[in-house]
Amino acid sequence: MKTIIYLLFCLIPFTLAAQTNTEWVSNRDHSEVMFQVTYLNVSELTGRFTEFSAKANLDEKGVPVSLNIKIDPNSVETGNKMRDGHLKGSDFFEAHQYPAITFVSSKVSKVKDNNYKVDGVMTIKGNSKPMVIEFTVTDSQKDTWGYENKFVKFKSKLNRKDFKINWNKTLDNQKYLVSDEVTFWGVFQIQPASSVTPPSKHMIPDTQPIRKREIENRKPKDESSFSDKVRKLINME
């Protein structure tokens, strides 16, 4: 009986290790979400969202199997406060009533190398539509402090009228002030959910002793010490 209990306790670290780093989350410090529409048929207006989050699940080989995104429309910025207020209102996002733009994936397919496409559902202003977004995922990179990073880069288009964002102004020759087509793109810095680089780290001087101390502090605890404690506990019965 003791042997069985001991084996079960010894397997706990390995079970936890197998589950570690499957969920990755965005670090907004080095991420961005942008969009662009055509204005007066000759120019482009660019904006961004400053509040957002992304989650990705990676398999044991680091291949993404899901990608979900959430954006706060109240965080829209175009460089003009009056226009930003208009975008948040009933003519566009109705951000007070619909405080989230979401994309929920249903399937991720590899195209080639680090290139993928994700099938999912985009929801804006309470209206949901199926959508396919192409994206790339970089190889894993460690920052100065030893935290693991990948970068998800994406770009796609949508028709805002599909989401009942219909506001416009007419021009001559049956043209309109703002295009229906919206191009959106961005990049997510993603990190293991249990190990995200704190923003404060970027303010710490990059010296060899400090860097060594930070990396040492982040090393996993010795699993053998855990097993020894379990063995002693069992032997005390």
Side-chain angles (χ1 to χ4, degrees):
M1 184 65 180
K2 289 183 178 181
T3 302
I4 295 175
I5 296 174
Y6 173 69
L7 288 173
L8 288 173
F9 271 92
C10 287
L11 284 173
I12 290 175
F14 295 101
T15 303
L16 294 176
Q19 297 174 348
T20 301
N21 296 352
T22 56
E23 182 180 74
W24 291 54
V25 297
S26 57
N27 184 329
R28 211 168 64 238
D29 289 349
H30 302 100
S31 305
E32 64 178 3
V33 177
M34 309 287 293
F35 66 89
Q36 188 175 79
V37 295
T38 301
Y39 178 74
L40 280 173
N41 297 290
V42 294
S43 184
E44 284 76 36
L45 172 67
T46 301
R48 68 171 63 236
F49 295 99
T50 59
E51 297 291 334
F52 53 83
S53 62
K55 291 184 179 180
N57 283 316
L58 310 183
D59 65 16
E60 66 279 1
K61 296 181 180 179
V63 176
V65 295
S66 70
L67 176 63
N68 298 329
I69 302 168
K70 184 177 181 180
I71 299 170
D72 181 358
N74 275 298
S75 69
V76 65
E77 290 185 358
T78 63
N80 182 302
K81 290 185 178 180
M82 183 179 293
R83 180 168 55 220
D84 295 346
H86 190 197
L87 289 172
K88 297 172 189 178
S90 59
D91 284 334
F92 289 91
F93 292 122
E94 292 190 67
H96 179 72
Q97 184 175 353
Y98 303 103
I101 297 170
T102 61
F103 176 81
V104 179
S105 67
S106 57
K107 178 183 177 182
V108 177
S109 305
K110 185 173 183 178
V111 179
K112 61 176 182 179
D113 299 328
N114 291 337
N115 294 266
Y116 301 86
K117 66 176 183 178
V118 54
D119 294 76
V121 175
M122 179 78 79
T123 301
I124 304 175
K125 200 177 175 180
N127 302 288
S128 300
K129 295 289 180 181
M131 182 169 291
V132 178
I133 299 176
E134 294 186 355
F135 67 97
T136 62
V137 182
T138 65
D139 294 333
S140 182
Q141 300 285 340
K142 287 191 176 181
D143 59 25
T144 304
W145 312 109
Y147 291 84
E148 196 171 2
N149 300 265
K150 288 178 180 283
F151 290 85
V152 177
K153 301 178 181 180
F154 63 94
K155 185 174 183 179
S156 191
K157 296 180 180 180
L158 59 80
N159 188 315
R160 61 190 178 94
K161 285 189 175 180
D162 289 342
F163 302 92
K164 297 183 180 180
I165 301 177
N166 300 316
W167 182 91
N168 223 326
K169 294 291 185 179
T170 55
L171 303 173
D172 293 336
N173 301 319
Q174 297 183 332
K175 294 182 180 180
Y176 294 93
L177 184 68
V178 182
S179 65
D180 294 335
E181 184 178 80
V182 180
T183 300
F184 62 93
W185 71 96
V187 57
F188 293 121
Q189 173 194 17
I190 60 172
Q191 298 183 284
S194 60
S195 185
V196 176
T197 308
S200 59
K201 293 295 184 185
H202 302 294
M203 303 302 293
I204 299 174
D206 183 20
T207 64
Q208 192 69 25
I210 292 178
R211 190 188 309 173
K212 183 177 180 181
R213 183 193 66 195
E214 290 286 333
I215 293 175
E216 286 294 327
N217 288 340
R218 293 193 61 252
K219 284 184 177 180
K221 294 181 179 180
D222 186 5
E223 292 179 356
S224 63
S225 61
F226 176 83
S227 301
D228 290 340
K229 291 179 181 179
V230 173
R231 187 185 298 107
K232 291 179 181 178
L233 181 63
I234 295 173
N235 289 334
M236 287 176 63
E237 295 181 353

